[in-house]
Every structure is written in structure tokens, then in C-alpha cells.
Amino acid sequence: MSSTRLQLTRVGSLLGLCGCLLTLPTARSATLEGVAVDDAVQVAGRRLQLHGAGVSRSWLLRVYAIALYLPERSASLSEVRQTEGPRRIAIALMRDVSAEDFRSAITDQLRGDDPGVDRAALQGPAHQLVQAVGRRPQGLRKGDLLTLDWVPGTGTVVELNHQPFIEPVRGRAFYDALLGVWLGEQVSDTTLRAQLLGAPASQRVVSRN
């Protein structure tokens, strides 16, 4: 098993950009180990503030940077899931992830134990995501940006490098599962979970434009 797959499995990651997480021109940005992270983004016409950000590692190697954007402060997974309005998870790949590693990570995540998720409802969307990555000859690449948005009335909207990646997924089960990947009680990377849930900025940001 490759180190990338180990890391994806360890945090139950369904999944990434070395340079720019988001592209809201009016937002101020800070850098997280060389990755630019905007203070705010626009999703479905609503301004969302940066809630937290961190870098996921495998054996000291950086795998991806991730940022969570919410309309209000939340202290736990259950509070984030109950939040009204849109949300965003932005994942910036800092290493290549093969289609096989991605598929294995999806499979491992579906075996997880999260009482807040209907696992049967995840099979279809997870298969779509795996197929979409599999159609890319080299899988996900360093420099790719994956955004996972919850849009009320539409569902989960997944884009890769600002382009639609799969059809929107209706219902909340899929997005609730995605949130649990990084914010759930059983995650191995508790430091990353704490950062996404709002650790002090000094722990996640190294400089500000």
C-alpha cells in the first residue's frame, strides 16, 4: 500500500493545489505552507467565512491542504451538519493521487462507523466520484483543486479545477459523509480536525498578503 493511500485511508479521505485554494478576487488571503487560503468565498450567492484550514500529511510528506468555509461558527461535526445555508470544503492536492488509491480510499470510507450517515445512500455518489477520477489518465495530480459545496435546493456540487466533476448529488447523506471524513469522532488526524473546527490562526497561517 502506497504512503498516499495510507494517508487517505487514515483520515478516511475521499480524496486537493499547491498555489491557490480559491479565486474570490475581493477576499484577503493568507498562506498555509505555500498554499493561498482566502478568508472568504462565495457559494450560491452567499459569503462564507474561512472556519479553519490545515495540511494532511503521510510520513511527514504533505498530501493535501484543506479549508472549511461555513456561514457561522461551529464547534463540532453535529453543529456543522445542522448549519443552515451553503458550505464548502476546498481540497488542494500537494501530491499526486492515483485512481486506484482514490478508489481504495472511497471503499475504506464506506466501511466507517458514523451513525449520522446513511451508508446505502452513499454507494451511487461514491461510484460516480470513483469513475470520474478513473477517467483521468493520471488520477488526481499535484496542483488540482477539488471543491465540495453544499448548495441548498441543489445538493452536493463537486468541481475539479473550477469545472463540474460529477452531477450534483441530491439529499444530505453524501455531504454529511464528506464532513465526517475530517470532522468525525473516529478520525485519526485529530489535529487537522481541531484546525478545521477553528484552531487559532497562528497555528494554520504563516503569512498574510
Side-chain angles (χ1 to χ4, degrees), residues 2-208:
S2 71
S3 62
T4 299
R5 177 178 168 186
L6 280 170
Q7 172 64 3
L8 290 170
T9 301
R10 179 171 65 85
V11 298
S13 178
L14 298 174
L15 311 160
L17 162 134
C18 187
C20 180
L21 268 180
L22 297 157
T23 58
L24 183 63
T26 59
R28 298 170 62 210
S29 64
T31 58
L32 174 64
E33 298 193 26
V35 176
V37 183
D38 285 335
D39 289 348
V41 297
Q42 291 279 349
V43 177
R46 185 166 179 180
R47 182 180 176 89
L48 305 181
Q49 294 296 133
L50 175 67
H51 195 275
V55 173
S56 184
R57 289 177 170 80
S58 175
W59 299 101
L60 302 181
L61 298 176
R62 302 179 304 171
V63 180
Y64 59 86
I66 178 170
L68 176 65
Y69 294 86
L70 300 174
E72 60 188 49
R73 302 303 300 178
S74 300
S76 66
L77 172 60
S78 61
E79 288 186 15
V80 175
R81 283 176 171 166
Q82 293 168 14
T83 298
E84 296 296 329
R87 282 156 276 175
R88 169 168 287 181
I89 300 168
I91 301 171
L93 283 169
M94 305 171 87
R95 292 173 59 85
D96 296 345
V97 176
S98 70
E100 175 58 25
D101 284 344
F102 187 83
R103 183 199 62 76
S104 298
I106 290 282
T107 301
D108 291 334
Q109 173 60 19
L110 290 177
R111 294 180 183 142
D113 182 20
D114 184 345
V117 169
D118 178 1
R119 305 238 156 245
L122 302 182
Q123 298 293 336
H127 183 63
Q128 291 179 50
L129 203 49
V130 167
Q131 283 190 319
V133 173
R135 286 192 291 269
R136 305 186 84 220
Q138 296 178 310
L140 298 176
R141 306 291 291 175
K142 176 181 177 179
D144 282 344
L145 167 65
L146 190 74
T147 53
L148 312 167
D149 294 343
W150 171 253
V151 179
T154 299
T156 300
V157 176
V158 182
E159 292 190 349
L160 182 66
N161 301 326
H162 311 291
Q163 298 297 322
F165 198 46
I166 63 174
E167 292 294 321
V169 180
R170 301 194 67 82
R172 297 189 61 152
F174 189 48
Y175 207 83
D176 281 351
L178 292 173
L179 291 169
V181 168
W182 297 281
L183 305 181
E185 292 299 320
Q186 304 304 316
V187 300
S188 298
D189 196 337
T190 55
T191 297
L192 183 59
R193 178 180 64 193
Q195 290 172 327
L196 292 174
L197 287 174
S202 61
Q203 297 181 21
R204 64 178 186 262
V205 172
V206 298
S207 67
R208 186 170 297 281

